[in-house]
Amino acid sequence: MKSKTIKVSGVLLSTGLSVVLLAGCSTGASANSTASNSTGSNSNGSSGSSKLVIGVDNGSPTFTDNFNPLAPSKRQGTSYIYEPLFYISSLSGKVTPWLATSYTWKSNKQLVMKIRQGVKWNDGKPFTAKDVAFTFNYMKQHPALDWQGLWKKLSSVTANGSQVVFKLKKPDGQIFDQLASTIIIPQHIWASVQNPAKRVVKHPVATGPYMVSKFTPYQYTLKKNPSYWQANKVQVKTLEFPVLGSSQTASLKLSSGKWDWGTVFMPNVKKTFVNRDPKFNHYWFPSGGVISLSLNLTKKPFDNLAFRKAIAYAINRKKIASQAEDGYVKTANQTGLLPGQKKWLDSSLPNNASYTYNLQKAKTMLSNAGYKENSKGQLLNKSGQPISFKIEVPNGWSDWIETAQIIRSDLKKVGITVQVSTPQYGAYNSSMSTGQYDGALVGIGGGSNPFNMYNQLLSSKFYKPPGKTASANTERFKSQAANQILNKWLVSIKPQTDMKYAHQMESVMYNQLPVITLFYGATWSEYSTKNFINWPSAKNPYASPAPYGQSPLMILTHLKPRA
């Protein structure tokens, strides 16, 4: 049985846009959850409950009482308490004002944000532009908090009345996402804290819609912040977070109606979840990333473009989507763009920028590139040795493992031997970052525009030789042409020039195949409309449906009680 959930990576000041898919739930945890529907049903079958039970926080195996937004290991509920300057949809890239109301580029070295007035911290003190400036300068004071490396780009951050002025060392029109998604902390609380990452915060002071109410090692409760700046939009009074437990436990809790919202991979979700209560049980699995095959370009034969193109044609993506992903996802084109970013897609790219399964074409390309087979049908490298390599996938990521097994089967048809390796996540991550791996499955994509994705994936400034740790560009792609495009795009603050450079980078992705894209990774989200309606959906995609990251801030200002 597949057993995968999705949750955000541990990040510091920014809840960020990068989502890490983490493998299965812990085992042995006893979820001491309380059924959400305990107040009796009305004529619609709704219980009339004013709370949501959310299955997203995975204790190890129980919860630690810490809502410090600066700590690597904090409760998932922390993201329901603190807020960013702007909300950026991970599906479409749409930017929505949040603690800031607008922004203006004065030049490509100076960005000014106007800060929302009338907002209060939940201890009653006013939120001001000084808190915003403090937050960023606090990262400069404590470099360990600056995990995005903002102060490599920032020259100064100052408050000026209701505005905050960001000055940059060099032109950088693409820094907006990083600044916009940074969560803001109160100066009057944190200014005297000397070791912020290690501070235990049980009752955080923040601007967000919820506050900590009750805590046990098995469940905690958040209550509505009565002084929230858009309190009239928040209709859910109480949020309960039970220990997630195993994926089987989570599936049962969701299917039985004891939980209202979760993020669990369920095989045949219509049968196992929707049909248990078809009036109220729903799911939406939109694309949250592009799952791709990364090949170590410092090794042979992966450094051969013709070989990579042949591999791209030899992989049956439709089979992967239908078999490994139970038909929940669609095959991806080669640009790395998400479906919600289709406005960026260069329509002049051939075949909708896709490599479709064509076994004969793959064989012909390999032959034309000089690769020959021996009498056993094994494809030989230029030294006459059979080609074989290993694809690494984190242990327990069952759908990714099955994906790698399908690739193994597909490449066997062109004479290539593939081994599927399933190390623990830490070893998998280390193998890629240090350049020791042959091949691995990875997730890419997201952001308000594709710059950051292309920059982190393809820029040579992240290149490290094998043995050295790379923070990005782990496939170790090098292209002066790509660098020149990225450098020009970096300083752009005009949408039309952003589009021109995006198309040029799409061409690099399509023609150079630095990674081989496979399918759009799903954001798993199951929810009940028994008590609350107006959830994000394919017909109303106002936010990613994920109960983690910054999406809950948008979702909980949209949910309405069922009449």
Side-chain angles (χ1 to χ4, degrees):
M1 173 178 284
K2 297 180 174 78
S3 58
K4 183 163 73 69
T5 60
I6 301 177
K7 63 182 181 180
V8 289
S9 60
V11 294
L12 300 180
L13 274 174
S14 169
T15 57
L17 300 171
S18 61
V19 174
V20 175
L21 309 175
L22 294 182
C25 314
S26 62
T27 58
S30 175
N32 187 24
S33 64
T34 302
S36 63
N37 308 316
S38 58
T39 55
S41 299
N42 60 25
S43 58
N44 293 320
S46 164
S47 68
S49 174
S50 62
K51 68 182 177 184
L52 284 179
V53 181
I54 306 171
V56 66
D57 205 344
N58 194 10
S60 300
T62 57
F63 292 142
T64 54
D65 189 0
N66 192 0
F67 295 85
N68 177 356
L70 314 181
S73 56
K74 54 185 173 291
R75 299 271 54 85
Q76 289 282 359
T78 306
S79 60
Y80 294 67
I81 297 171
Y82 290 88
E83 296 184 296
L85 295 167
F86 292 86
Y87 170 78
I88 301 176
S89 170
S90 60
L91 301 180
S92 65
K94 180 182 177 181
V95 176
T96 301
W98 213 258
L99 288 179
T101 57
S102 64
Y103 67 95
T104 304
W105 283 101
K106 297 296 185 182
S107 72
N108 57 13
K109 291 180 65 177
Q110 183 172 326
L111 176 68
V112 177
M113 293 189 185
K114 188 173 183 180
I115 304 306
R116 189 176 298 280
Q117 300 299 289
V119 177
K120 291 184 178 180
W121 299 100
N122 60 23
D123 63 357
K125 295 186 182 300
F127 159 79
T128 70
K130 291 181 179 178
D131 290 305
V132 178
F134 166 79
T135 297
F136 288 96
N137 284 297
Y138 198 57
M139 284 191 279
K140 183 180 182 181
Q141 182 183 348
H142 301 278
L145 304 180
D146 187 16
W147 66 275
Q148 299 186 99
L150 287 172
W151 280 99
K152 293 180 180 177
K153 305 175 181 178
L154 291 168
S155 170
S156 66
V157 181
T158 56
N160 181 13
S162 62
Q163 296 182 335
V164 173
V165 180
F166 298 88
K167 292 185 177 180
L168 309 179
K169 295 174 182 175
K170 298 179 180 178
D172 187 343
Q174 309 306 321
I175 197 174
F176 175 77
D177 280 19
Q178 295 169 284
L179 301 176
S181 59
T182 297
I183 60 167
I184 305 304
I185 58 175
Q187 181 175 5
H188 66 280
I189 296 295
W190 289 92
S192 61
V193 177
Q194 297 302 313
N195 198 343
K198 292 187 177 180
R199 180 185 175 95
V200 174
V201 178
K202 296 186 177 182
H203 292 278
V205 174
T207 59
Y210 290 93
M211 308 165 64
V212 175
S213 176
K214 299 175 183 177
F215 181 89
T216 77
Y218 299 100
Q219 176 175 294
Y220 59 89
T221 303
L222 305 184
K223 62 182 179 182
K224 180 179 174 179
N225 173 8
S227 62
Y228 185 47
W229 58 275
Q230 48 182 348
N232 62 320
K233 295 182 179 179
V234 178
Q235 302 295 311
V236 183
K237 295 181 180 178
T238 305
L239 305 176
E240 285 186 358
F241 296 81
V243 165
L244 188 59
S246 70
S247 60
Q248 290 82 1
T249 298
S251 296
L252 286 173
K253 296 288 186 181
L254 281 164
S255 299
S256 64
K258 293 183 176 180
W259 292 0
D260 301 287
W261 190 13
T263 174
V264 181
F265 180 96
M266 292 186 187
N268 197 350
V269 68
K270 287 196 68 176
K271 179 181 179 182
T272 56
F273 177 65
V274 175
N275 291 350
R276 295 288 299 272
D277 193 351
K279 183 176 181 181
F280 299 120
N281 285 359
H282 302 275
Y283 70 95
W284 185 38
F285 299 157
S287 304
V290 180
I291 311 306
S292 308
L293 174 61
S294 175
L295 298 171
N296 188 336
L297 303 182
T298 66
K299 294 185 176 181
K300 295 185 181 301
F302 311 130
D303 60 344
N304 186 319
L305 175 59
F307 182 86
R308 298 200 299 273
K309 285 191 174 182
I311 295 291
Y313 281 114
I315 295 174
N316 190 339
R317 293 168 181 75
K318 287 187 176 179
K319 184 177 181 180
I320 292 172
S322 63
Q323 185 171 311
E325 296 293 326
D326 278 22
Y328 294 144
V329 304
K330 295 183 178 179
T331 59
N333 68 42
Q334 182 53 33
T335 64
L337 298 175
L338 294 173
Q341 295 175 316
K342 60 183 179 183
K343 71 176 183 180
W344 294 94
L345 181 63
D346 182 357
S347 59
S348 68
L349 289 171
N351 195 28
N352 294 318
S354 298
Y355 284 78
T356 52
Y357 180 57
N358 191 327
L359 181 59
Q360 187 55 50
K361 188 169 186 175
K363 289 181 175 180
T364 301
M365 293 185 76
L366 289 169
S367 177
N368 291 341
Y371 294 98
K372 299 179 180 178
E373 292 184 358
N374 62 16
S375 59
K376 298 179 180 177
Q378 295 172 309
L379 192 72
L380 305 178
N381 61 25
K382 301 300 175 67
S383 300
Q385 299 300 313
I387 297 175
S388 66
F389 66 91
K390 187 186 299 181
I391 295 179
E392 298 185 34
V393 184
N395 187 271
W397 295 29
S398 55
D399 56 337
W400 283 28
I401 292 172
E402 191 167 354
T403 295
Q405 291 169 340
I406 292 173
I407 294 174
R408 177 178 61 188
S409 176
D410 287 340
L411 296 190
K412 186 178 181 181
K413 297 172 184 173
V414 294
I416 298 172
T417 301
V418 172
Q419 295 177 301
V420 177
S421 175
T422 58
Q424 295 298 319
Y425 180 80
Y428 153 87
N429 191 49
S430 175
S431 181
M432 285 194 298
S433 62
T434 57
Q436 304 303 308
Y437 74 114
D438 297 332
L441 296 191
V442 298
I444 63 173
S448 66
N449 79 38
F451 173 82
N452 286 323
M453 182 265 289
Y454 289 135
N455 189 50
Q456 293 187 16
L457 187 66
L458 306 177
S459 174
S460 294
K461 68 183 178 184
F462 297 112
Y463 180 93
K464 297 290 182 184
K468 300 289 186 181
T469 300
S471 61
N473 190 3
T474 53
E475 80 281 2
R476 288 159 169 82
F477 180 74
K478 289 184 14 179
S479 164
Q480 286 305 312
N483 291 338
Q484 289 174 3
I485 299 167
L486 289 168
N487 289 337
K488 291 177 182 176
W489 194 354
L490 176 68
V491 301
S492 167
I493 55 174
K494 295 181 179 179
Q496 60 270 32
T497 52
D498 286 352
M499 187 67 73
K500 179 180 72 173
Y501 297 132
H503 287 181
Q504 292 176 0
M505 291 309 299
E506 290 164 29
S507 178
V508 172
M509 282 287 289
Y510 181 77
N511 291 304
Q512 299 297 315
L513 291 95
V515 296
I516 298 172
T517 61
L518 301 172
F519 60 88
Y520 297 114
T523 300
W524 312 116
S525 179
E526 301 87 3
Y527 58 93
S528 170
T529 59
K530 180 170 284 187
N531 299 308
F532 292 93
I533 60 174
N534 205 29
W535 293 85
S537 66
K539 292 183 178 178
N540 187 18
Y542 63 83
S544 164
Y548 50 77
Q550 294 177 349
S551 290
L553 295 172
M554 180 63 83
I555 294 170
L556 286 159
T557 53
H558 280 70
L559 294 185
K560 297 177 181 177
R562 175 174 288 281

